[in-house]
Amino acid sequence: MSTVSAQVQAGRPEALPSGARVVVKIGSSSLTRDDGGLDLNRIDIMAGLVAGLRGRGHDVVLVSSGAVAAGLTPLGMERRPGELRLLQAAASVGQGNLLARWQTAMSAYGVVTAQVLLTAQDVAVRSHYRTVRSTFDALLSLGAVPIINENDAVATTEFNLGDNDHLAALVSHLVTADVLVLLTDVDGLWTARPGTPGAEPIRLVRSGADLEGVSVSGRGSAVGTGGMTTKVQAATIACASGTATLIASADDAARLLSGPRLPADVGTWFAPTGPHRPSRRLWMAYASVPEGRVLVDEGAARALTVGKKSLLLPGVIGVTGDFESGAVVDVVGPERIVARGICRYAAAELEEVLAARATGGPVPDHVAPVVHRDDLAELPRTAGV
């Protein structure tokens, strides 16, 4: 375990770990004024904080929402449109304006920025995923600050990366971040919606057990797409792969990131629940697009998650989808999706085995694992609504 990993495993730290690689995500609601325009003062403040982090020895990646919001006013739109083509138009206009503001603000501190717009294909296709990782490695090694957003101008409803909280978790994996900071308009996670009688802030989450009985429902703002549910889900995903996560209000960003202390009374710190994973397993778990599902019984699900075993044919009880050998599939237990992996059988072959088993006929002679342990990535239980 690296020195940084050891520091972030110990609970809520008093400071960001020395030399930690940090991904900072800031949402649309935190980057816009009440009238819908970009909050240039907030951008300037964040640029100074990013420069300060770099000056203290941290690599920094910024995931910035706000492209659609930045395009509303120039196009004469009063609110975020629901129609896809209008969203894409607003993103097309707003992304250039957004990046220009970040570049101007960062350059005042001598920081070089790099725009990286990602599509679902960039992370879903394994060869693209490796290329994106190499690009990030090069940019960070050269001292640049990548500014990331989804390429909303070409994203479709059927094939997109989802909200930017999920994107930030994916980026954390791509750059092997030590800490993910999700800045929003709420002071971290609360036991109930802030303002509800008896609601209290939660400052430390060590595991999913700490979230039992906690309500994280609620929709995002008028200019954003996320809410606390998406942030907790992103934190769960990031923590399962060794990246500690801090959810906090953007209003408290200066207290949190100006250093060297990390206030204990601000935001919610999610401690890592697993180690950093090899990039191949990260890709399988969070970036690949499953082509089908393999349903397994309780014993098989336990063997995969507790016993750390391969998936064998006797544990398979169903299959959905039409896929060939070598496809990525979800492995679904009685309660939830437990893993994702590369299936060594075609769907038709699994259906043949299941049909023979159901009729009492001779079962085809297959001995290879359905999904070998080396081709399997467990999925964490994420918080729901």
Side-chain angles (χ1 to χ4, degrees):
M1 180 182 294
S2 68
T3 302
V4 171
S5 296
Q7 292 179 68
V8 297
Q9 288 280 3
R12 179 154 185 153
E14 296 182 353
L16 287 176
S18 176
R21 178 168 287 182
V22 182
V23 173
V24 179
K25 181 264 178 179
I26 185 164
S28 296
S29 62
S30 302
L31 284 178
T32 52
R33 305 187 306 264
D34 292 339
D35 63 2
L38 283 176
D39 187 339
L40 303 185
N41 184 56
R42 174 63 56 76
I43 290 176
D44 287 340
I45 291 172
M46 289 303 305
L49 293 174
V50 169
L53 285 169
R54 292 186 68 255
R56 298 197 301 276
H58 299 287
D59 287 338
V60 183
V61 176
L62 180 65
V63 178
S64 175
S65 300
V68 172
L72 298 183
T73 299
L75 291 175
M77 299 180 183
E78 295 182 356
R79 61 180 61 85
R80 183 185 180 93
E83 193 174 346
L84 177 60
R85 67 184 184 90
L86 296 180
L87 282 170
Q88 292 172 324
S92 298
V93 171
Q95 183 60 44
N97 189 25
L98 178 66
L99 182 67
R101 296 300 185 182
W102 279 120
Q103 287 180 323
T104 298
M106 295 281 192
S107 64
Y109 296 93
V111 175
V112 176
T113 59
Q115 176 175 255
V116 181
L117 297 179
L118 297 176
T119 67
Q121 188 178 30
D122 292 327
V123 293
V125 178
R126 175 65 179 159
S127 60
H128 290 210
Y129 183 88
R130 290 197 301 266
T131 299
V132 172
R133 279 182 64 92
S134 296
T135 299
F136 280 130
D137 287 343
L139 289 171
L140 292 171
S141 69
L142 292 169
V145 173
I147 299 179
I148 317 301
N149 201 356
E150 181 170 7
N151 194 349
D152 293 315
V154 297
T156 65
T157 303
E158 296 79 13
F159 199 50
N160 60 51
L161 289 166
D163 60 86
N164 271 6
D165 296 316
H166 184 247
L167 173 61
L170 286 177
V171 169
S172 296
H173 297 151
L174 282 163
V175 302
T176 318
D178 299 294
V179 179
L180 167 62
V181 180
L182 298 174
L183 296 176
T184 181
D185 51 7
V186 179
D187 178 26
L189 179 63
W190 289 57
T191 55
R193 194 176 184 87
T196 303
E200 296 180 349
I202 300 171
R203 298 307 182 194
L204 175 62
V205 175
R206 294 183 178 87
S207 69
D210 292 342
L211 298 177
E212 292 182 6
V214 176
S215 173
V216 295
S217 61
R219 302 182 64 181
S221 71
V223 293
T225 59
M228 189 53 65
T229 297
T230 66
K231 289 166 181 59
V232 173
Q233 289 174 340
T236 303
I237 291 170
C239 288
S241 297
T243 300
T245 303
L246 179 62
I247 301 177
S249 170
D251 291 338
D252 292 322
R255 288 187 63 197
L256 287 168
L257 302 178
S258 59
R261 308 293 293 178
L262 189 63
D265 61 343
V266 176
T268 303
W269 180 272
F270 291 74
T273 56
H276 284 306
R277 299 202 221 179
S279 63
R280 184 168 178 269
R281 279 204 166 97
L282 290 177
W283 170 77
M284 281 192 293
Y286 304 117
S288 63
V289 177
E291 297 183 37
R293 289 187 164 198
V294 176
L295 314 181
V296 301
D297 58 27
E298 184 175 352
R302 183 174 179 80
L304 294 176
T305 57
V306 179
K308 310 302 181 184
K309 304 293 186 181
S310 298
L311 175 60
L312 305 179
L313 270 171
V316 176
I317 59 175
V319 59
T320 62
D322 182 15
F323 53 86
E324 298 298 324
S325 172
V328 175
V329 297
D330 282 334
V331 180
V332 185
E335 298 182 355
R336 65 182 182 93
I337 301 174
V338 297
R340 187 168 292 163
I342 299 174
C343 188
R344 298 193 174 190
Y345 292 83
E349 293 176 300
L350 295 177
E351 290 169 349
E352 182 183 9
V353 171
L354 293 172
R357 189 189 298 168
T359 59
V363 177
D365 185 19
H366 296 304
V367 295
V370 178
V371 181
H372 193 277
R373 185 69 200 173
D374 293 342
D375 297 328
L376 190 75
E378 291 181 42
L379 298 179
R381 185 187 298 271
T382 59
V385 296

